[in-house]
Every structure is written in structure tokens, then in C-alpha cells.
Amino acid sequence: MNLRPLMITLALLAPALSPVPAAAADGGYSATIRRTEYGIPHITAKDYGGLGFGYGYAFAQDNLCTLASWVVTLRGERSRYFGPKAESDDPARPVANLASDVYYKSVADSGVVRRLLARPAPVGPSAELRRLVDGYVAGYNRYLEDTGVANLPDPTCRGKAWVGPITATDMWNNLLDLSRMSSSSQFKEAITGIAEPEAEGPPEDEGPPEDEGPQPKPAAGSNAWALGRQATRGNGGMVLADPHFPWQGIRRFYQVQLTIPGVLDVSGGSLYGTPVVQIGHNAKVAWTHTVSHAQRFTVYRLKLADGHSYTVDGRAEPMGEQEVEVTLPDGTISGHTLLTSRYGPVLAVGHTDEAAYALADANAANLRAADEWLAIARAGSLDELRAAQRTYQGMPFVHTLATDVSGTAYFADASVVPHVTDAQARRCAKPSPVPGLDAYVLDGSTSACLWGRDGDAVVPGIFGPGNQPRLVRADYVANSNNTYWMTNPAKPLTGYPKAYGETGTDLEPRPRVSLDMIGRRLSGADGLGAPGFTLETLQATVHGKRNLTFELMRDDLLKLCRTHPELTATDGTRVDVREACRTLGKWNGRATLDGEGAVLWREIFTRLGRPTKPGEPVFSPWRVPFDPARPLTTPSGLKGDDPTVRQALADAVLYFQSNRIPLTLTPGQAQSYSSIPIPGCTEGEGCFDRVRTGGPLGTDGRYPEVNTGSSFMMAVALTPGGPRTRTVLTYSLSANPASPHHTDQTALFSRGGWVTERFTAAEIAADPHLQTVTVHGGH
């Protein structure tokens, strides 16, 4: 890449520098990077290319090693550098490097990105997004060239042979993989037929099956509130964003402000390696997302004609063969043959003499999401945000919750969902090839079971906006990964295709506590003052650390304690539970750093979710079962008379006693990230801003490091005078352990603090520690 020498101007105060950089002398890229507290970058440029350049440069300063490693993954070269049996760097679902390489090589060799780049928008990328991506690549490479691999500040990749320049193709592949995160990318082993090797212990990023309690949820999740004028004291819109994404790797958020004067001014959280803000706000609109549990793919059962062909409508179709080659550390090549079909890749699982199964992914060719986020960032109202969603229809796996300065609250599952009607799902249903596979399995031997098409859908095979669940309110909309039906209990949503999720189902504890928190704030029953939300009461509400299951089970638990001071553990040991019961009786039910009883309850509750015998269904500890007519108050209570409940209490207490762990163990003593104590509790317990650790409680009274949970938290109030925003990036801005911004916001999060966002030029200039650089580079 022919880049002119980098020119950097350093200043401590913004007035010493024009807020809009002049064009580089050779007509190349130019951007200003201003960093405020906690290293947060505010990037300004005159055009999209310059904005991307500044962003790529700033991101590389903080997190080059993470993206460099992920580029190796996307290129299918992990086996070459790290060995085929080592675990990949996928933070959501790591697999053996060889399985990862074969999968990503197959994606790259398929030509899907090349074909999408040849399409005009909205199916292909817009001209603005293409310039952003090209600029980002140039900025990243400029920083790497000037610093040198041998001199990188992060010891994680300093001097490593696998670090080098990136390309626009790498960026497009990353954007595509983000869209596939809840579909194809989950099935690397099933697609490649390469199983993960046996490990000596549980994967670092995955807790035990019982980690989330009796009703576990997927690791990716979120909380989101959009508050309208009837719910806020100032009559404007407010948004709470609380995505629960991994705390390591490429799916972390990076906090950034991106500005092209008069064109774009957006601030928020941007997933690593993407040049757009996924969760954020501008001066008039704020939005966030939660993971939707709608269908993203279907599995088609292929009726085999012979070993390499299958029949559709009675006619044989040959399977395609894709040859994939992966380079190993010694330079030898590992060859693999993958089979394909008209529906998508043929899975390596479930194959018999009569049938095979193919994965049809609605996000298989989705680069539209980045353009949708870019258009949302430019929206001046909810109407414009909704127009952006109708135009691109690219949200890969998330609900959207948003508001604007008028105080209107909006919810939609505007995500990509395969067009399978309820009638078609029933008519075409086939047994699953793998127990527990969460997908429609359809008959692939007839074209009558192909995905349908809506007239308002931007691409064939998906539901269009007219079929999507949506709700507009003046009070609020909320979601905590429950299905759409309880977005607002005053207006339950029903009547949409089941591909978007079931209605009338158990909300589960975290969505329930979320709606209860809103209800108590609107009535003033939460002790935080007059009814209605202000920015300050919003902050206080979301950091309450309530544990809903303890609240709902406390009375029955203490009754059990009074009537049975001694219980029998699974191994027959008689256990005195009186001290444990006294600890729980004194605990206020909040998972604060000093919450004595919080960890004890977690250990009891997780044991309630274990099968009574291998292969049996998970035991339900609730005394009052779920009632669809009372979704906000059921289930409730604890089956204190059930032997399984008594045994769980005894087993948990015995574990503490046997290992001399204090029954008063607190979250601050038991869980941490980079040696910083972390408050909070788990999903299944009914904790709002939940955390998840990498495994069970050790005999030393410590959990493995926190690896998932609240990540980029944002509370924003939209006012006529501009946005007022508080944020906290729980794992901090930089993955570099040598950076001053590696854990500074983590310490802030630990003590319940927030960052007061600087959005306007005056607010940024007022930072006494402001640092400003101008960066230039050629195309």
C-alpha cells in the first residue's frame, strides 16, 4: 500500500486544532482523533474514507492483537500458526483450529463475499460503507507500518509471525461472520465433520451445564429498555442498553464517537473489527438491541438417490463438492472435501443410507447489517430509523429498541428470519438428525417446502417488514431475550409466525425482574423517589443487583430452614444447615460486592437445576407453576417439601463446609476479572445485569474469571438541548494488558460508577486530559 509518511500533531486542548481536519496534501485520508477520559476516541473527518482511516488507526492503537488474531481465523490459517488441535479464538463457541480453518476456508472459497460486492445496495454494500471499510483497513495498516510488529505495545502479538497487514476482504468476511454468528458459524464441526478434541477441563469460555440454574439460556443475551414520554420525568425519550456479550475476543465492544460534520455524528459501542456503531445514539435518536430467539436457519432432510445425489420433486440433483486445503505447521497440506446442496452445506451429522441433512442459513449472504447500522446512525427520527430498517432488512439476530427526542418508544424484531409459515412448518416437518437441534427440520425432497417470499422483502426467502413483530408506545418497550409477546404487558403481541418465537410462554426470571423494575419505577414503589425515570434513577435502577429467584423463594426457603435444621446430602452425610440459613436470612437479596449470602444462594440454586437422575428432565423447583394468564407473577415459591430441594440445600452447604469456604462468601471475594472484583449474579438466578464465569466455584472459594455479561452499558436521555448520556464499558477499552485503559473502566464498573459521556465539541474540549492527534495517509 503506497502511503505517504504519517504526520501527527499532538495537543492537550482541542482549541489548538481545527475540529475538521483538512484534506491530506495528496488527496488521501485525513482524520482527527481526540481521546477523552478512559481513552475514549472521538474521530472526526471530512468524508467516510477519512473517518474509517481514523477509526482503524485508533482501534489498532488499542486492540491490534485481537483483530490480528481474528484475521488469521477468517483466513483459515490458525492450524498453520497455532496447531490444528489447539482451540480457536472464537469467543462464543471455540472449536479445534482445524475445524475452524476448514469452515472459514470454505466460506472464503465459496465466493459469497465477491458476489455480494458485485451487487448494488441494498443487497451489496453502499458506496459510503465501502469507503469506510477501505479507510479502516488503511488506518489499521498505517499504524502497524509505523509501529512495526517488533515494537507493538501489546506483548500478546509483539514480534509474532502471524501479524501483518489486513485487507478489505478480511473486513467484509468479519462483517459476514457477525451476521452468521447465530447460524452457520455455530455449526463448524457439523459442517466440516471435524470434532473438537477432548480437553483436560472445561473450555475457558464456557461454564458448566448447571451454571445458569434450572432454566439455562444461551450465553449471548442483553437487556434493553426504550422509555417514552409517559415514562420519563422530562417527557423525552430514554434508552437503556445493556448487551451481554463475551468479555474476550472479537465480539467485544469498542466505545467510539464517529463524526463527519453535517453528515454523521454518532456515539456508542462498536463491535471489534467493524467500522460502524451497533448500539448508540446521535443528537435525536438512541437505539439498542437484544438477541432474538427467532429462527435463523432451517435444516433440510435430503432424500438420497445415491451417495452423491438427492431428489427434489422426483428428480435427482447431484451434490456439489468443495475441496478445502489447510496448511499445517510443518508446511504440509490437510485436504478436506465438503458437500453442498441447493439449500446450503450438507452436514456431516445425521447421514444414513437414505437421508442426509443440509443447513439453510438466512444470513448466509448478509452484508446488509452494516449499512443498516450506518443508516440508523444518520437517522433524525424514529421514522427515519424505521425507513433504514425497511431499506436494508439486515439485522442478523437481534431485536431493535429505540426512541427519539419526541419521546416515542419503538420495538421490532426486524431481524432476518427464514420465511416458513406455521402451516408450512407443520406440513414439512421431519425429525431432527441431532437431539436438541433448535431449528425447523423440513422435507427437502419437495419444492413445496422451500422458503416463501414476501413482496416487501429485500431478498427472497425471508419475512418482510409487514410480517415482523413490532410495537410503538408512549410509555415503554422492553426486552431481556424473552420472545416478543411481553414487550409491554399492557399490550401483549400475538399472531405472528412462530418462526419469531412462541407466545404465552414462561418469561423466565431475568425478563421478569426487568419488567418489575420498570413497573416499580413508574409507580414510585422502588424507593427512588417520585414516579418516572430520570437519568439518575435509570442508573440507580439498573445497578440494583436484585436476585429475583431469591426474592420469590426466600420465604419458603427460610420455612424449610426452620423445620429442617439438619438435612441429608447426596452422599448420605448429615448436614447442619442452621448457620447457612442464618446467613441467607440476613442477606438483602442483592448481588453487590459485599452481599453475604449471594454466592451461597447461587450454589444452592444451581444445584436445583440438576437432573435427579442421568437422562431425566431438569427438575423444576417452583411451588407455583407458570400460568400464562399471570406471566408477571408466576412461577413463584419453592418446593420446600420436595427431597430434591432439601438435598440441593444440603449439598451446597456441605461443599462450603468441606472446603472451609465461609458461608458468608461475597461476590467481591468469589468473582473477578483481571483481579478486579465483579458484582452480580447469573442469568438463571434472575439477575438483570448478569455475569457468567468460566466454570464452577472452586474449592478455594473462587470462580474462574468472569467471561460474559454486561459489556457496553449506556443510559441516554434525549432532550431538546441534546443527549445526556452515561456509559460504562465493563472490560475497558483495550485488550492490551500493558495499556492504561486495560481495566480502568472495569474498576469503575466494580464500584458501580459510570462515565459521563462527552458528545459535543464543547464537552470534549472541556476535558482537562484531552489528547488530540491528526493522522494522514494515502489511499
Side-chain angles (χ1 to χ4, degrees), residues 335-596:
H336 302 264
T337 301
L338 304 185
L339 300 178
T340 62
S341 71
R342 64 153 65 186
Y343 304 107
V346 177
L347 301 178
V349 297
H351 213 110
T352 68
D353 291 340
E354 294 81 28
Y357 294 84
L359 181 69
D361 183 355
N363 282 304
N366 179 13
L367 287 181
R368 305 183 304 278
D371 260 314
E372 187 168 330
W373 278 310
L374 185 58
I376 288 173
R378 295 190 298 253
S381 66
L382 271 183
D383 286 344
E384 292 183 12
L385 180 148
R386 295 172 68 176
Q389 296 206 305
R390 288 193 301 270
T391 297
Y392 293 101
Q393 300 175 30
M395 288 294 102
F397 51 81
V398 290
H399 302 122
T400 301
L401 294 90
T403 189
D404 61 11
V405 73
S406 76
T408 302
Y410 164 77
F411 165 89
D413 191 341
S415 60
V416 177
V417 177
H419 193 295
V420 180
T421 65
D422 296 352
Q424 185 183 28
R426 289 189 298 268
R427 174 170 46 83
C428 295
K430 292 293 180 180
S432 172
V434 180
L437 180 64
D438 183 23
Y440 287 142
V441 182
L442 306 178
D443 185 354
S445 68
T446 170
S447 56
C449 294
L450 292 171
W451 295 347
R453 180 168 189 173
D454 280 345
D456 60 347
V458 71
V459 293
I462 66 172
F463 284 115
N467 268 315
Q468 296 169 346
R470 61 187 63 241
L471 185 63
V472 177
R473 302 278 299 178
D475 52 359
Y476 72 89
V477 292
N479 187 266
S480 292
N481 306 120
N482 46 306
T483 59
Y484 59 85
W485 80 290
M486 276 286 110
T487 296
N488 186 307
K491 182 68 174 178
L493 294 173
T494 58
Y496 294 95
K498 289 185 178 180
Y500 284 98
E502 298 283 348
T503 59
T505 53
D506 185 350
L507 284 180
E508 301 191 0
R510 180 164 59 89
R512 276 182 65 187
V513 78
S514 170
L515 292 172
D516 189 64
M517 289 159 61
I518 294 173
R520 292 189 183 205
R521 179 78 299 269
L522 294 184
S523 69
D526 58 2
L528 295 177
F533 282 95
T534 64
L535 189 57
E536 291 70 29
T537 57
L538 178 59
Q539 293 172 251
T541 300
V542 301
H543 270 345
K545 308 297 179 189
R546 288 174 57 189
N547 185 311
L548 185 66
T549 56
F550 183 73
E551 292 178 15
L552 296 174
M553 296 179 173
R554 182 181 188 276
D555 290 346
D556 288 333
L557 175 68
L558 296 182
K559 179 181 177 181
L560 168 61
C561 288
R562 289 192 298 270
T563 55
H564 294 83
E566 189 176 87
L567 296 169
T568 303
T570 302
D571 65 1
T573 302
R574 295 291 289 173
V575 182
D576 186 337
V577 298
R578 287 175 294 180
E579 183 182 350
C581 290
R582 283 193 292 270
T583 297
L584 292 170
K586 294 177 182 178
W587 180 42
N588 66 0
R590 296 180 182 263
T592 53
L593 287 178
D594 59 355
E596 296 185 354

Side-chain angles (χ1 to χ4, degrees), residues 735-759:
N736 173 12
S739 169
H741 306 302
H742 181 59
T743 58
D744 51 356
Q745 287 199 58
T746 310
L748 182 69
F749 173 69
S750 174
R751 58 180 184 266
W754 298 76
V755 178
T756 298
E757 184 190 75
R758 297 179 183 273
F759 184 71

Side-chain angles (χ1 to χ4, degrees), residues 638-699:
L638 177 68
K639 295 177 180 175
D641 293 332
D642 193 291
T644 302
V645 173
R646 299 179 186 181
Q647 187 172 286
L649 174 57
D651 287 349
V653 174
L654 181 60
Y655 185 82
F656 278 74
Q657 292 175 347
S658 300
N659 294 291
R660 299 185 178 181
I661 301 171
L663 293 164
T664 55
L665 184 70
T666 67
Q669 295 166 334
Q671 61 193 21
S672 63
Y673 176 81
S674 292
S675 300
I676 296 173
I678 301 296
C681 48
T682 62
E683 167 89 5
E685 292 174 86
C687 292
F688 185 71
D689 50 336
R690 59 104 173 189
V691 297
R692 185 171 183 172
T693 62
L697 184 68
T699 56

